Amino acid sequence: MAEVTQPADSMDTSEDTAKKGLVEGPWSTTEHGKKAEMKLEKNPCDVESWSILIREAQSTSIARARTIYDRLVTHFPTCGRYWRLYIEQEMKSRNYEQVEKLFQKCLMNILHIDLWKCYIAYVRETKSPLPTFREKMRQTYDFALEHVGIDYHATAIWQEYIQFLKSE
């Protein structure tokens, strides 16, 4: 994946439900999670309640967790941290097609260093068996640094890239 394009469509969720950031019926199976969902009905921006649901989503299968993650990134579309959590869980399950779709929806719109580091890790993980791996990684670092390289927090990406180039 040399370049990520902007998303052509929005999230595939019910508009009313997505606006509220809620699932239809209780998603959580715990009392604590159900209380968090009830709080979100009153205040969909309650980050503490979202954090409770995120923790639950991280300890369940990605197939089940997608419901919460989709609502989360629909409600907070520019929060790189939430996109990264979603993508990392997809990566753990090796759902690379879904990972690519998520990067296409968010990467160019969110200049969040940890999200871009996640993108670099994704390319490293998926392209390492290819004979053109080193060239793909060079392109990936160039692409990332072209977008976030002037950010003070991009130092770690610059240092990784320098180490990568020295290892040739």
Side-chain angles (χ1 to χ4, degrees):
M1 182 174 180
E3 196 166 319
V4 176
T5 58
Q6 292 208 1
D9 59 349
S10 61
M11 302 298 282
D12 298 329
T13 59
S14 159
E15 192 174 312
D16 293 336
T17 304
K19 282 181 186 174
K20 283 186 165 184
L22 303 171
V23 297
E24 294 175 15
W27 174 85
S28 179
T29 57
T30 68
E31 266 321 296
H32 199 53
K34 287 177 184 176
K35 286 180 184 176
E37 287 183 88
M38 288 180 8
K39 284 182 181 179
L40 288 172
E41 286 179 21
K42 293 180 179 101
N43 178 11
C45 295
D46 183 348
V47 176
E48 188 176 317
S49 294
W50 278 114
S51 295
I52 291 165
L53 295 178
I54 291 168
R55 281 192 297 277
E56 287 188 23
Q58 289 176 318
S59 64
T60 190
S61 71
I62 186 60
R64 186 169 183 287
R66 271 189 202 111
T67 303
I68 289 298
Y69 285 122
D70 284 340
R71 298 309 192 269
L72 181 66
V73 297
T74 297
H75 194 74
F76 299 101
T78 59
C79 183
R81 176 177 172 260
Y82 293 154
W83 282 99
R84 181 182 54 83
L85 290 172
Y86 189 178
I87 290 167
E88 285 175 344
Q89 191 156 350
E90 290 285 2
M91 284 176 62
K92 286 178 191 171
S93 298
R94 300 194 181 285
N95 296 325
Y96 297 129
E97 188 175 316
Q98 183 67 18
V99 169
E100 295 242 352
K101 288 177 184 177
L102 292 171
F103 276 130
Q104 288 174 354
K105 288 181 179 184
C106 71
L107 198 59
M108 297 302 293
N109 299 320
I110 304 170
L111 302 179
H112 185 270
I113 298 300
D114 287 336
L115 181 63
W116 282 84
K117 287 163 99 176
C118 181
Y119 172 68
I120 293 168
Y122 161 75
V123 173
R124 184 180 301 114
E125 183 176 321
T126 58
K127 307 301 182 200
S128 62
L130 298 177
T132 58
F133 170 68
R134 291 199 63 80
E135 182 58 29
K136 293 278 186 204
M137 284 305 299
R138 192 174 301 113
Q139 290 171 352
T140 300
Y141 278 114
D142 287 342
F143 179 63
L145 291 169
E146 182 180 308
H147 290 87
V148 295
I150 61 170
D151 189 303
Y152 171 77
H153 300 294
T155 304
I157 296 174
W158 281 105
Q159 290 172 336
E160 277 182 33
Y161 191 24
I162 291 167
Q163 288 303 315
F164 171 78
L165 293 173
K166 285 182 177 180
S167 70
E168 289 190 86

